[in-house]
Amino acid sequence: APTAKAFRKESQIRVYGSDVPNPFRTFEDLASPPYNLNPTIYRNLMQSEYKTPTAIQMQSVPIMLKGRDLIACAPTGSGKTLAYLLPLLQDLKKPEKTGYRALIIAPTRELAQQIDREIQKLSAGTKLKTRVLAKSTYATKAQTPKEKQKFDILISTPMRLVYAIKEKEIDLTNIRHLILDEADKLLDLGFLDQTDEIFAACSAPSVRKSLFSATFSSTVEQLAKTVMRDPLRVVVGTKNA
Ligand code: ADP
Ligand code: MG
């Protein structure tokens, strides 16, 4: 088998940063060390229509499993959702009833729902619970503290999230994973103005952050600089902007 360096080259994976973990090569690799993917998630993955990992998945999964902050850029349609969901679900493992531990921010409600569907497929049997915060949930009855604790993953658009934070509708103090999906689109929608409130609400001492984007612009860079700790960068395909 080629070395990691040769394999990255052949798969058009570019990485920037120090101590970069090797990419994995087949989904079967994930069943054994150093990955040891949870058997339930592994089974769901094996039963899915996916046969081989995409380049962004090969390199992002090991980085996130190591707990490193990540900036990942790969074209639309290259499977970025699975790239972050595998390590996310692996880390959450099973319900803890402590409230939200993962927050995924997406630019639109449709995308949030699409991410939720992907989570349902991959997490079947783990009992992890996901809530999509969308316009329609404005109307939901006030949740009791116990009801609030039953969710593990929160997916939201930035606007709806800021509203929920202001209204003290949600508690983000146990968040350990923050994922910004379609970061370039989030920024186009004015996300920089919302970062302070959101990041302040995720107040746990170490929150792992990752950012996924189809393009790598100077605003994406600026966002990463403000909110991340020693991130690794992964770029697949042609370099944008
Ligand atoms: P992106 O976020 O990069 O635009 P998505 O995560 O939406 O891409 O994935 C695009 C499509 O590819 C989806 O239909 C998804 O189910 C599919 N997909 C993801 N990973 C794989 C894979 N390893 N093999 C085949 N199809 C995949
Ligand atoms: Mg996507």
Side-chain angles (χ1 to χ4, degrees), residues 19 34 48 84 89 209 229:
D19 297 323
S48 75
Y84 65 75
L89 295 172
K209 290 157 190 137
R229 246 179 330 135

Side-chain angles (χ1 to χ4, degrees), residues 27 50 52-54 57 75-82 118:
F27 283 134
Y50 311 142
T52 43
T54 65
Q57 292 163 1
T76 302
S78 61
K80 294 190 287 295
T81 320
L82 186 66
E118 188 95 21

Side-chain angles (χ1 to χ4, degrees), residues 98-112:
T98 53
Y100 302 115
R101 284 176 293 149
L103 171 60
I104 303 170
I105 304 179
T108 65
R109 182 178 157 184
E110 289 67 35
L111 183 63

Side-chain angles (χ1 to χ4, degrees), residues 37-47 93 121-127:
L37 193 65
N38 174 311
T40 308
I41 301 167
Y42 183 72
R43 185 203 59 205
N44 295 341
L45 181 63
M46 286 298 133
Q47 287 174 356
K93 259 189 203 78
K121 269 198 301 184
L122 265 181
S123 70
T126 63
K127 298 198 169 78

Side-chain angles (χ1 to χ4, degrees), residues 60-131:
S60 299
V61 169
I63 290 174
M64 288 181 68
L65 285 176
K66 284 240 163 173
R68 299 283 301 269
D69 283 3
L70 169 68
I71 306 169
C73 300
T76 302
S78 61
K80 294 190 287 295
T81 320
L82 186 66
Y84 65 75
L85 288 183
L86 283 174
L88 177 68
L89 295 172
Q90 170 73 355
D91 185 68
L92 297 183
K93 259 189 203 78
K94 54 184 188 342
E96 278 183 5
K97 307 262 193 302
T98 53
Y100 302 115
R101 284 176 293 149
L103 171 60
I104 303 170
I105 304 179
T108 65
R109 182 178 157 184
E110 289 67 35
L111 183 63
Q113 287 162 341
Q114 202 177 307
I115 296 165
D116 182 36
R117 284 195 293 273
E118 188 95 21
I119 293 176
Q120 298 318 314
K121 269 198 301 184
L122 265 181
S123 70
T126 63
K127 298 198 169 78
L128 287 167
K129 276 203 185 313
T130 302
R131 181 175 175 211

